[in-house]
């Protein structure tokens, strides 16, 4: 399928075909794994044109590889973006965006309800790069508006926050950002383009950790950045993107490549310099994941809703934060932004606090205790003692996490088996509680 005729195809067709035509030399139907570090140049002139970015051609797999390119093009297509650049991990993708658009003295505004690794990343990276950082409550539109200053160069939030389950009012936050000529970056990992496409609602840059639902089987680490191509990087506020670049012999990326300017800079400069490239083998596995993405997301959502509903009816469970529940305060935002479902990661609280959390997790057989989400296998975690351990108590509260908060990533197993296992976990907590 060429990108030109992709508009006429539906999401599932594009999830299987976008970014690929059968490989011409062998006729291979699947995307081949191009496991090569570099590529033979036709002649010295072609080599020079590639390195000058006058022509687009493969040089070295740190910055481009045909298997990785098929993955990048497919995700960009599914997100409704101009293009994409893949990275070795979701955090590498985010770091690359920050390194590309920020200069020392700039200011970043982020949601306070983010993936724990992202909170740690923005706190430490911004300090090292001399960038100012402000956290805001993502539900508070006036807080977003009030946080923007003359040196603010981006707003950053997640479609569905972790683990509080808050849903971002993407269109409203995008408008607030654009009123001040500032881009909105959205981490779409928990929704995936199957459930929400933030660019359709005004987001400018979307990052996904492919490690999660895109790969879908907990096998590989990877990330990808896509850009709408709509944001005007020449608006005078982003000389680092628009001006001739000393890091690429004076090339003015936005002027030369138009809608692809930022993406070209992200690849030719930032990926070149940071070196955190996606391996062709991982790109191949992510392509397999994309082919079944919406089938899997539908089942993830179905199982998530069933477990959340079941937990919300238990008297030994305190609060269930699945935004897809009718009683959720996020229900109107779910109807608008996530009509196919509110994802499959959410949390609930055990009244017994830290101890009850530990006991519950140990009593489970089927749910795996580990720090990941978005696997076909159901996963369980106690954030206060693991992923969010490095956060202060105050930051924990701001991120919506209590001592007895349990996070679930609901997999694709039979729902009866998932419920039976949760039940025996709750019974184990009850028995211990009665003894104490
Ligand atoms: C996992 C995750 C990341 C980081 O991705 P890695 O691939 O682990 O580096 C970022 N954001 C969210 C929401 C995540 O779940």
């Amino acid at each position: 399928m060429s990108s030109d005729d992709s508009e006429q195809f539906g999401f599932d067709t594009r999830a299987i075909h976008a970014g690929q035509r059968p490989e011409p030399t062998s006729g291979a139907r699947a995307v081949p794994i191009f496991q090569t570090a570099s590529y033979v140049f036709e002649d010295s002139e072609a080599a020079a044109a590639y390195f000058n970015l006058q022509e687009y051609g493969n040089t070295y797999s740190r910055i481009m590889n045909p298997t990785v390119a098929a993955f990048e093009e497919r995700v960009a297509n599914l997100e409704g973006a101009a293009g994409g650049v893949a990275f070795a991990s979701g955090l590498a993708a985010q770091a690359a965006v920050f390194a590309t658009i920020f200069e020392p003295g700039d200011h970043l505004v982020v949601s306070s309800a983010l993936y724990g690794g992202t909170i740690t990343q923005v706190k430490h990276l911004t300090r090292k790069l001399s960038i100012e950082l402000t956290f805001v409550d993502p539900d508070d539109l006036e807080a977003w508006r009030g946080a923007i200053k003359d040196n603010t160069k981006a707003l950053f939030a997640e479609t569905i926050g972790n683990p509080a389950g808050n849903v971002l009012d993407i269109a409203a936050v995008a408008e607030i950002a654009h009123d001040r000529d500032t881009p909105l970056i959205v981490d779409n990992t928990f929704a995936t383009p199957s459930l929400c496409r933030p660019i359709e609602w005004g987001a400018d840059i979307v990052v996904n950790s492919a490690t999660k639902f895109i790969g879908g089987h907990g096998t590989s680490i990877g990330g990808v950045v896509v850009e709408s191509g709509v944001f005007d990087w020449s608006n005078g506020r982003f000389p680092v993107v628009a001006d001739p670049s000393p890091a690429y012999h004076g090339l003015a990326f936005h002027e030369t490549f138009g809608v692809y300017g930022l993406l070209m800079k992200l690849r030719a400069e930032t990926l070149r310099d940071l070196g955190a490239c996606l391996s062709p083998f991982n790109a191949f596995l992510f392509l397999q994941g994309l082919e079944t993405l919406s089938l899997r997301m539908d089942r993830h959502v179905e199982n998530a809703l069933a477990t959340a509903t079941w937990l919300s009816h238990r008297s030994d469970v305190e609060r269930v934060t699945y935004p897809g529940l009718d009683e959720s305060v996020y229900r109107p935002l779910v109807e608008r932004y996530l009509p196919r479902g509110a994802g499959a990661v959410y949390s609930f609280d055990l009244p017994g606090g830290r101890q009850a959390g530990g006991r519950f997790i140990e009593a489970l057989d089927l749910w795996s205790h580990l720090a990941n989400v978005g696997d076909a296998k159901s996963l369980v975690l106690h954030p206060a003692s693991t992923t969010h351990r490095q956060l202060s108590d105050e930051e924990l509260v701001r991120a919506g996490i209590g001592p007895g908060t349990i996070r679930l990533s609901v997999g694709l197993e039979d729902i009866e088996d998932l419920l039976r296992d949760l039940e025996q976990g709750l019974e184990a907590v009850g028995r211990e509680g009665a003894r104490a």
Side-chain angles (χ1 to χ4, degrees):
M1 182 188 291
S2 84
S3 4
D4 302 339
D5 49 35
S6 74
E7 247 103 273
Q8 65 198 38
F9 291 105
F11 185 92
D12 289 349
T13 306
R14 290 181 283 127
I16 295 169
H17 293 281
Q20 190 222 2
R21 290 205 182 134
E23 202 271 317
T25 15
S26 64
R29 176 63 273 202
V31 178
I33 304 171
F34 287 93
Q35 195 68 27
T36 182
S38 55
Y39 309 85
V40 178
F41 303 122
E42 300 90 277
D43 50 43
S44 338
E45 220 171 290
Y50 294 167
F51 278 96
N52 282 336
L53 300 182
Q54 284 155 339
E55 268 179 56
Y56 206 72
N58 294 319
T59 52
Y60 191 60
S61 281
R62 186 181 342 103
I63 53 168
M64 55 181 82
N65 172 280
T67 312
V68 176
F71 170 66
E72 292 168 334
E73 194 174 330
R74 193 167 297 177
V75 174
N77 183 303
L78 296 177
E79 289 280 9
V85 182
F87 291 87
S89 69
L91 282 192
Q94 295 176 186
V97 173
F98 299 141
T100 305
I101 65 177
F102 282 89
E103 287 184 287
D106 285 346
H107 176 225
L108 168 67
V109 181
V110 302
S111 155
S112 56
L114 294 172
Y115 170 70
T118 303
I119 294 186
T120 324
Q121 178 187 54
V122 292
K123 276 193 347 196
H124 295 109
L125 217 53
T126 52
R127 195 176 312 144
K128 284 183 180 160
L129 302 175
S130 299
I131 294 163
E132 274 185 80
L133 178 66
T134 302
F135 286 99
V136 298
D137 171 355
D139 298 344
D140 185 348
L141 296 179
E142 287 319 304
W144 285 109
R145 199 188 310 278
I148 302 178
K149 306 191 284 185
D150 288 344
N151 60 342
T152 303
K153 297 298 172 69
L155 311 188
F156 184 100
E158 292 171 1
T159 313
I160 308 172
N162 169 16
N166 54 290
V167 176
L168 187 71
D169 190 344
I170 304 171
V173 177
E175 195 181 321
I176 290 167
H178 296 159
D179 279 349
R180 302 287 295 271
D181 296 325
T182 301
L184 171 64
I185 306 169
V186 174
D187 178 345
N188 199 33
T189 301
F190 277 25
T192 81
S194 169
L195 301 182
C196 180
R197 290 170 293 280
I199 286 175
E200 290 175 1
W201 299 100
D204 303 286
I205 295 175
V206 173
V207 292
N208 274 287
S209 166
T211 313
K212 314 297 167 52
F213 294 101
I214 287 180
H217 298 80
T219 61
S220 330
I221 307 279
V224 56
V225 179
V226 300
E227 202 224 344
S228 69
V230 173
F231 189 80
D232 180 13
W233 299 99
S234 301
N235 64 12
R237 305 193 62 234
F238 293 89
V240 70
V241 180
D243 286 1
S245 171
Y248 217 102
H249 48 67
L251 188 68
F253 279 90
H254 196 244
E255 190 185 307
T256 311
F257 299 108
V259 297
Y260 301 106
L262 184 84
L263 290 162
M264 285 298 281
K265 191 176 172 78
L266 200 56
R267 182 186 305 282
E269 271 183 23
T270 314
L271 182 56
R272 177 198 67 188
D273 294 347
L274 296 182
C277 58
L278 182 65
S279 90
F281 185 67
N282 285 2
F284 171 81
L285 291 173
F286 293 147
L287 283 161
Q288 308 313 298
L290 285 174
E291 293 192 1
T292 56
L293 180 65
S294 67
L295 276 177
R296 287 185 292 105
M297 290 314 287
D298 287 349
R299 177 66 172 265
H300 277 296
V301 163
E302 191 185 315
N303 280 354
L305 185 59
T307 52
T309 305
W310 183 85
L311 285 166
S312 71
H313 291 137
R314 302 270 314 192
S315 57
D316 47 2
V317 165
E318 236 163 30
R319 81 178 169 151
V320 182
T321 63
Y322 187 55
L325 289 174
D326 283 341
E327 62 263 34
S328 168
V329 295
Y330 297 107
R331 194 64 221 171
L333 291 171
V334 168
E335 269 157 33
R336 181 162 190 210
Y337 296 109
L338 298 155
R340 289 173 63 98
V345 181
Y346 66 89
S347 58
F348 67 92
D349 282 351
L350 289 169
R354 212 169 274 267
Q355 262 192 330
R359 245 176 242 135
F360 173 78
I361 281 179
E362 267 154 44
L364 298 177
D365 285 328
L366 189 57
W367 296 69
S368 308
H369 179 203
L370 52 76
N372 191 18
V373 298
D375 194 322
K377 298 164 273 299
S378 286
L379 316 174
V380 62
L381 185 82
H382 185 213
S385 61
T386 52
T387 48
H388 288 63
R389 194 183 183 85
Q390 279 135 17
L391 270 58
S392 69
D393 284 357
E394 199 190 31
E395 286 168 333
L396 269 188
V397 173
R398 256 193 284 155
I401 300 161
T405 298
I406 300 288
R407 188 188 69 194
L408 301 180
S409 172
V410 186
L412 305 177
E413 299 94 336
D414 289 294
I415 187 64
E416 298 77 20
D417 298 329
L418 294 178
L419 293 178
R420 196 177 330 115
D421 206 37
L422 291 177
E423 170 132 49
Q424 65 137 356
L426 292 174
E427 275 166 10
V429 174
R431 273 196 305 279
E432 285 293 328
R435 211 178 302 161

